[in-house]
C-alpha cells in the first residue's frame, strides 16, 4: 500500500481538445462527411445515418428550438430509450449551450415526475405516449417533442420529432462555436435517487477532456465499430461510450435488445461485428457461456477485428477475462463516477489483471488517498457541482478542486485498488468492522451462476449473506473452464441452493478475519432490476435499496420465528 496523501498521475500528457461540442461536431462533419456516425435496426435491417445528414438534422433541431425560445442555460428533459432521435436532439441542445437532462425511461410515473420537477426544464422530449403520460402537468412546459406515438394523445404544445427536423432551412454548421468550455451541457442523476435527488452538472470541457485522455491511450478511429446497449441516461453509456465513438468518428450501432435479450445481442453482434465493446460483467458472463457452447457463436464473438472489450461497474470474474485473453482480446477495466465524467482510471492490457485493481489515472487526472482511505480525484473531468444543491457540492469538492469520491481504496504498484464504498463498512455488535464488498467479491468471482451477493450484519453478532442467482444460466451449461472444480451445474433454484451451500462453506474459510464470516445465507428467487432502483444503470447492486427491500428476510435469518420469503432457500452454515 502506498502512503496516504501522495498524488498519483499519468505519465502521459493530456492532449489538446476542442473548446466545445459544436466545434467538435463541425470538425467531424467535414472530416467524416460521407461516413456512418450511427445506425440502428429498423424493420429488421440497420438503417445508416451519415455524418452529413447528422449535422443537417442537428442544425434543423437547433433552428427550431431557437425559434421557440430555447436559450443558453435552459434545460430540456428527455424520457426515452436510446434511439437516433434522442441522440440528435441531445447533441443539438448541448452544442447550442443549453442543457440536456436524460431521465431513465423505465422509471414509474411518480419517480419520473419527481426527477422532472427537480430539474425544472423549459422543454421536454418523450419517446412515445407512454412516456408522455408520465408527465403530470404537460401544459407547464413550453414545448414537448415526441419521437413517435398517436398524435391525437399529445397536447397542443407538442410537436413530432419529424416535423421539428423538417424545419431545416439550409444551415450547414452546428451553432454554438462560441460557447465557453466551462458551460454546463449535461445534467445526469446519480444512482440511487430515492432520497433527495443529486443531479450532476457536467460541462463541455468535462466531456471533451475525457475523450482527449482516452485518445492518448487508445487508437480509436473512423474504422472502429461500437455495439451499444448501455443506457444514455447514465454516464458509462451516455458519456464514456457514446462520445468515444462520436469524437473519434467511429460508428455507433444501437443494440436494440438493450442488453436484456442475449439472443438479440448476438444477432446484432453478428451484423455489426464490433471492434470494441463496452459492457458490465453480467453481459460478459452470458456472452462467454454462449461462446463456449456453440462454435458458431464463438466464431461470431471472437472475430479477427475485435480489438478490445471494456468493463466497469464491478470486477469481471477472472475466468471470463481469461477466456477473452485466450482469444487475444484484451480486457480493459475502468473506474469512475458520474461526478467525474465518468472515467478516472483504466487498466493497462499489457499488465496482468488483478481482482479489485482498476488501473492508473488517465491523462490529466490525479488521484490521492486520504488519511482515512478515501479516494480523492482532481482534474478537468470533475463536475461543476450538483444542480440546486450547493451544500452537497461543498461536502464533496474542496476549494482546491479535490473531489471526494466516497470510495475507499489503496494505491499499489499496478494501480488503484478498490476496497469498498465508504458507507458500506459496518460494525458488528462487538465493535469489529466488516468490509462487505471483500466478502461479496470473493463469492462473485468464483460462481458462474451468481448475479449479485449482498452481505449484511450491522449491529448484529455475525454477518449473513443474500444471493441472487442468474436464472438465465440454469438453462445453459457453462464450459468447464468457467466453473470451479466442485460445481454441480444446477438447473433450478433448489439445485443451486444445494450446490452453493458447499461452496459457501469453502468461501467462508477463505475470509479473514473470522468475525467477518457469515453464518447463514439466503438464496432468493428474485431478479434485481434498474426499474426498482435495486440496481444502478450500470448494473451495480444498490446496497441501501436492497437492504430496505429485503429487511424482513434479513431479520428472519437472525430470528427464527420470523417468516422467510416463499421464494427463498435458507442455508445454515453454523
Amino acid at each position: 500500500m502506498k502512503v496516504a496523501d501522495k498524488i498519483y498521475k499519468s505519465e502521459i500528457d493530456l492532449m489538446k481538445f476542442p473548446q466545445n461540442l459544436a466545434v467538435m461536431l463541425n470538425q467531424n462533419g467535414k472530416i467524416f462527411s460521407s461516413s456512418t456516425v450511427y445506425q440502428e435496426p429498423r424493420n429488421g435491417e440497420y438503417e445508416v445515418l451519415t455524418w452529413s445528414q447528422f449535422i443537417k438534422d442537428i442544425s434543423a433541431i437547433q433552428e427550431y428550438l431557437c425559434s421557440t425560445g430555447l436559450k443558453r442555460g435552459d434545460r430540456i428533459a428527455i424520457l426515452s430509450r436510446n434511439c437516433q432521435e434522442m441522440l440528435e436532439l441531445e447533441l443539438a441542445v448541448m452544442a447550442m449551450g443549453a442543457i440536456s437532462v436524460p431521465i431513465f425511461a423505465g422509471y414509474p410515473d411518480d419517480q419520473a415526475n419527481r426527477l422532472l420537477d427537480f430539474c425544472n426544464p423549459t422543454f421536454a422530449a418523450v419517446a412515445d405516449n407512454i412516456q408522455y403520460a408520465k408527465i403530470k402537468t404537460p401544459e407547464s412546459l413550453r414545448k414537448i417533442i415526441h419521437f413517435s406515438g398517436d398524435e391525437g394523445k399529445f397536447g397542443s404544445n407538442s410537436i413530432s420529432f419529424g416535423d421539428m427536423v423538417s424545419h431545416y432551412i439550409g444551415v450547414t454548421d452546428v451553432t454554438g462555436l462560441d460557447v465557453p468550455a466551462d458551460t454546463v451541457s449535461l445534467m445526469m442523476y446519480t444512482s440511487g435517487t430515492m432520497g433527495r435527488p443529486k443531479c450532476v452538472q457536467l460541462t463541455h470541457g468535462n466531456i471533451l477532456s475525457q475523450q482527449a485522455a482516452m485518445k492518448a491511450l487508445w487508437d480509436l478511429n473512423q474504422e472502429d465499430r461500437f455495439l451499444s446497449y448501455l443506457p444514455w441516461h447514465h454516464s458509462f453509456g451516455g458519456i464514456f461510450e457514446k462520445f468515444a465513438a462520436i469524437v473519434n468518428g467511429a460508428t455507433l450501432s444501437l443494440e436494440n435488445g438493450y442488453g436484456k435479450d442475449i439472443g438479440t445481442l448476438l444477432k446484432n453482434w453478428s451484423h455489426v461485428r464490433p471492434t470494441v465493446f463496452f459492457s458490465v460483467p453480467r453481459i460478459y458472463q452470458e456472452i462467454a457461456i454462449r461462446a463456449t457452447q456453440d462454435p458458431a457463436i464463438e466464431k461470431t464473438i471472437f472475430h479477427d477485428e475485435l480489438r478490445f472489450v471494456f468493463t466497469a461497474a464491478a470486477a469481471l470474474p477472472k475466468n471470463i477475462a481469461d477466456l477473452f485473453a485466450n482469444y487475444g482480446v484484451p480486457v480493459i477495466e475502468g473506474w469512475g463516477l458520474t461526478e467525474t465524467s465518468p472515467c478516472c482510471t483504466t487498466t493497462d492490457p499489457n499488465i496482468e489483471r488483478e481482482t479489485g485493481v482498476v488501473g492508473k489515472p488517465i491523462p490529466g487526472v490525479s488521484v490521492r488517498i486520504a488519511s482515512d482511505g478515501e479516494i480523492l480525484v482532481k482534474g478537468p473531468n470533475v463536475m461543476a457541482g450538483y444542480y440546486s444543491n450547493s451544500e452537497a457540492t461543498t461536502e464533496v469538492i474542496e476549494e482546491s478542486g479535490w473531489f471526494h469520491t466516497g470510495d475507499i481504496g489503496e494505491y499499489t504498484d499496478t494501480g488503484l485498488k478498490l476496497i469498498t464504498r465508504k458507507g458500506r463498512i459496518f460494525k458488528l455488535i462487538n465493535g469489529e468492522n466488516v468490509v462487505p464488498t471483500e466478502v461479496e467479491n470473493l463469492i462473485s468471482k468464483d460462481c458462474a451462476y451468481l448475479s449479485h451477493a449482498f452481505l449484511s450484519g450491522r449491529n448484529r453478532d455475525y454477518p449473513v449473506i443474500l444471493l441472487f442467482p442468474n436464472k438465465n444460466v440454469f438453462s445453459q451449461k457453462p464450459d468447464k473452464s468457467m466453473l470451479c472444480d466442485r460445481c454441480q451445474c444446477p438447473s433450478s433454484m433448489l439445485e443451486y441452493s444445494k450446490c452453493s451451500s458447499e461452496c459457501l462453506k469453502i468461501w467462508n474459510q477463505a475470509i479473514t478475519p473470522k468475525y467477518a464470516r457469515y453464518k447463514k445465507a439466503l438464496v432468493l428467487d428474485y431478479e434485481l432490476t434498474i426499474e426498482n432502483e435495486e440496481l444502478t444503470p450500470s448494473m451495480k447492486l444498490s446496497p441501501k435499496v436492497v437492504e430496505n427491500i429485503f429487511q424482513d428476510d434479513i431479520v428472519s435469518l437472525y430470528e427464527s420465528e420470523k417468516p422467510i420469503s416463499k421464494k427463498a432457500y435458507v442455508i445454515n452454515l453454523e
Side-chain angles (χ1 to χ4, degrees):
M1 178 177 175
K2 298 298 177 69
V3 295
D5 277 336
K6 181 178 177 181
I7 296 174
Y8 303 94
K9 300 179 179 180
S10 172
E11 296 176 357
I12 303 172
D13 292 332
L14 181 65
M15 297 178 68
K16 186 177 179 180
F17 52 91
Q19 174 178 308
N20 56 47
L21 294 172
V23 173
M24 180 273 293
L25 289 168
N26 284 324
Q27 288 176 349
N28 282 8
K30 292 177 175 62
I31 296 170
F32 307 118
S33 178
S34 60
S35 299
T36 300
V37 60
Y38 176 83
Q39 58 178 359
E40 69 176 63
R42 294 180 190 253
N43 301 317
E45 296 292 331
Y46 268 93
E47 188 173 296
V48 167
L49 175 68
T50 64
W51 267 96
S52 61
Q53 187 61 51
F54 187 51
I55 297 300
K56 286 180 182 178
D57 290 351
I58 290 173
S59 298
I61 294 167
Q62 290 183 326
E63 177 66 23
Y64 175 79
L65 293 175
C66 285
S67 72
T68 53
L70 186 73
K71 306 183 302 297
R72 291 187 181 184
D74 284 348
R75 292 169 293 281
I76 177 165
I78 304 176
L79 290 87
S80 175
R81 275 185 162 184
N82 302 359
C83 62
Q84 179 178 327
E85 292 87 349
M86 180 179 178
L87 177 67
E88 293 185 331
L89 176 62
E90 189 164 48
L91 282 169
V93 168
M94 294 166 69
M96 67 189 287
I99 303 168
S100 171
V101 191
I103 296 174
F104 179 42
Y107 281 145
D109 296 9
D110 58 344
Q111 176 72 345
N113 253 286
R114 192 165 65 90
L115 301 183
L116 190 72
D117 289 344
F118 183 79
C119 69
N120 191 27
T122 306
F123 287 61
V126 295
D128 48 31
N129 298 115
I130 294 172
Q131 298 301 324
Y132 179 79
K134 292 180 180 180
I135 304 176
K136 286 184 180 177
T137 56
E139 67 280 358
S140 66
L141 295 158
R142 184 179 304 166
K143 190 68 70 174
I144 298 177
I145 301 154
H146 56 90
F147 301 157
S148 63
D150 183 348
E151 290 279 355
K153 293 184 178 180
F154 295 104
S156 59
N157 63 336
S158 66
I159 184 173
S160 73
F161 183 85
D163 287 345
M164 181 176 62
V165 173
S166 67
H167 198 270
Y168 180 63
I169 58 172
V171 178
T172 56
D173 286 326
V174 173
T175 46
L177 297 178
D178 60 339
V179 172
D182 61 357
T183 301
V184 174
S185 62
L186 181 66
M187 285 171 31
M188 280 189 164
Y189 285 103
T190 58
S191 305
T193 54
M194 297 202 51
R196 183 184 179 188
K198 282 186 179 178
C199 198
V200 175
Q201 299 179 107
L202 298 169
T203 68
H204 290 253
N206 288 153
I207 294 169
L208 293 171
S209 70
Q210 180 95 151
Q211 294 309 320
M214 303 322 300
K215 196 172 186 67
L217 298 176
W218 302 339
D219 182 28
L220 294 175
N221 57 62
Q222 181 183 356
E223 302 302 318
D224 280 305
R225 301 180 297 275
F226 287 64
L227 180 61
S228 174
Y229 77 87
L230 294 167
W232 292 342
H233 74 280
H234 184 260
S235 57
F236 188 14
I239 304 174
F240 195 54
E241 179 189 32
K242 182 171 69 181
F243 282 100
I246 291 171
V247 169
N248 292 286
T251 299
L252 185 66
S253 302
L254 178 70
E255 197 290 283
N256 66 330
Y258 300 97
K260 295 181 180 294
D261 181 355
I262 195 68
T264 302
L265 188 150
L266 292 173
K267 179 182 177 182
N268 288 325
W269 191 296
S270 177
H271 181 95
V272 173
R273 300 183 79 245
T275 60
V276 294
F277 185 61
F278 287 53
S279 188
V280 295
R282 180 172 180 176
I283 299 299
Y284 286 121
Q285 182 186 48
E286 295 196 25
I287 287 174
I289 289 170
R290 294 292 187 98
T292 56
Q293 289 177 333
D294 188 328
I297 293 176
E298 176 186 26
K299 187 175 181 180
T300 295
I301 296 297
F302 299 106
H303 61 86
D304 57 6
E305 291 183 280
L306 181 60
R307 295 174 52 202
F308 67 87
V309 296
F310 187 91
T311 183
L316 186 67
K318 187 177 184 303
N319 54 4
I320 297 176
D322 288 346
L323 179 67
F324 279 87
N326 290 341
Y327 286 95
V329 179
V331 175
I332 301 175
E333 188 169 352
W335 166 80
L337 302 90
T338 304
E339 290 91 336
T340 57
S341 306
C343 192
C344 298
T345 68
T346 59
T347 55
D348 183 342
N350 298 312
I351 297 176
E352 186 175 352
R353 296 180 74 252
E354 296 178 38
T355 301
V357 175
V358 290
K360 297 184 178 182
I362 64 175
V365 172
S366 299
V367 168
R368 191 177 111 213
I369 308 297
S371 57
D372 63 353
E374 184 176 10
I375 304 167
L376 275 57
V377 171
K378 188 176 184 180
N381 60 328
V382 174
M383 67 172 179
Y386 296 116
Y387 172 73
S388 193
N389 199 339
S390 57
E391 182 179 344
T393 302
T394 303
E395 286 177 1
V396 297
I397 302 180
E398 298 177 1
E399 288 186 11
S400 58
W402 286 100
F403 170 70
H404 289 246
T405 66
D407 278 334
I408 299 293
E410 62 183 28
Y411 207 89
T412 71
D413 290 337
T414 52
L416 182 66
K417 183 174 183 178
L418 299 182
I419 296 175
T420 189
R421 286 293 291 172
K422 199 171 183 178
R424 282 223 63 196
I425 299 173
F426 62 78
K427 282 183 183 290
L428 297 173
I429 200 167
N430 62 6
E432 297 286 4
N433 284 328
V434 175
V435 181
T437 47
E438 291 182 344
V439 177
E440 294 160 358
N441 289 342
L442 179 67
I443 296 171
S444 298
K445 73 179 180 63
D446 202 26
C447 182
Y449 289 82
L450 185 67
S451 283
H452 301 281
F454 176 72
L455 192 77
S456 181
R458 190 179 303 276
N459 298 322
R460 294 285 187 171
D461 291 325
Y462 56 85
V464 295
I465 194 159
L466 308 184
L467 302 180
F468 299 90
N470 182 353
K471 293 194 292 184
N472 291 333
V473 184
F474 290 156
S475 60
Q476 313 295 326
K477 189 170 182 180
D479 187 80
K480 287 184 178 180
S481 64
M482 298 181 62
L483 305 172
C484 61
D485 294 337
R486 58 188 176 275
C487 187
Q488 298 171 22
C489 299
S491 58
S492 67
M493 288 295 299
L494 178 60
E495 289 181 11
Y496 179 78
S497 65
K498 292 177 181 178
C499 178
S500 59
S501 65
E502 295 305 312
C503 290
L504 284 165
K505 293 174 185 176
I506 294 170
W507 291 325
N508 224 1
Q509 292 305 308
I511 297 170
T512 54
K514 290 183 179 180
Y515 60 74
R517 295 176 182 174
Y518 40 84
K519 292 188 178 181
K520 290 185 178 180
L522 192 66
V523 179
L524 288 138
D525 186 359
Y526 185 93
E527 184 176 358
L528 302 174
T529 68
I530 297 174
E531 286 79 0
N532 292 335
E533 295 193 312
E534 300 147 345
L535 297 179
T536 71
S538 58
M539 303 293 284
K540 288 186 291 188
L541 182 145
S542 296
K544 290 182 180 178
V545 178
V546 169
E547 185 149 36
N548 182 56
I549 290 175
F550 296 97
Q551 184 59 37
D552 289 345
D553 288 319
I554 292 170
V555 170
S556 71
L557 292 175
Y558 293 102
E559 302 172 19
S560 56
E561 69 277 9
K562 297 285 185 180
I564 291 285
S565 169
K566 292 180 181 179
K567 293 185 177 181
Y569 300 85
V570 178
I571 301 173
N572 196 326
L573 297 157
E574 292 185 276

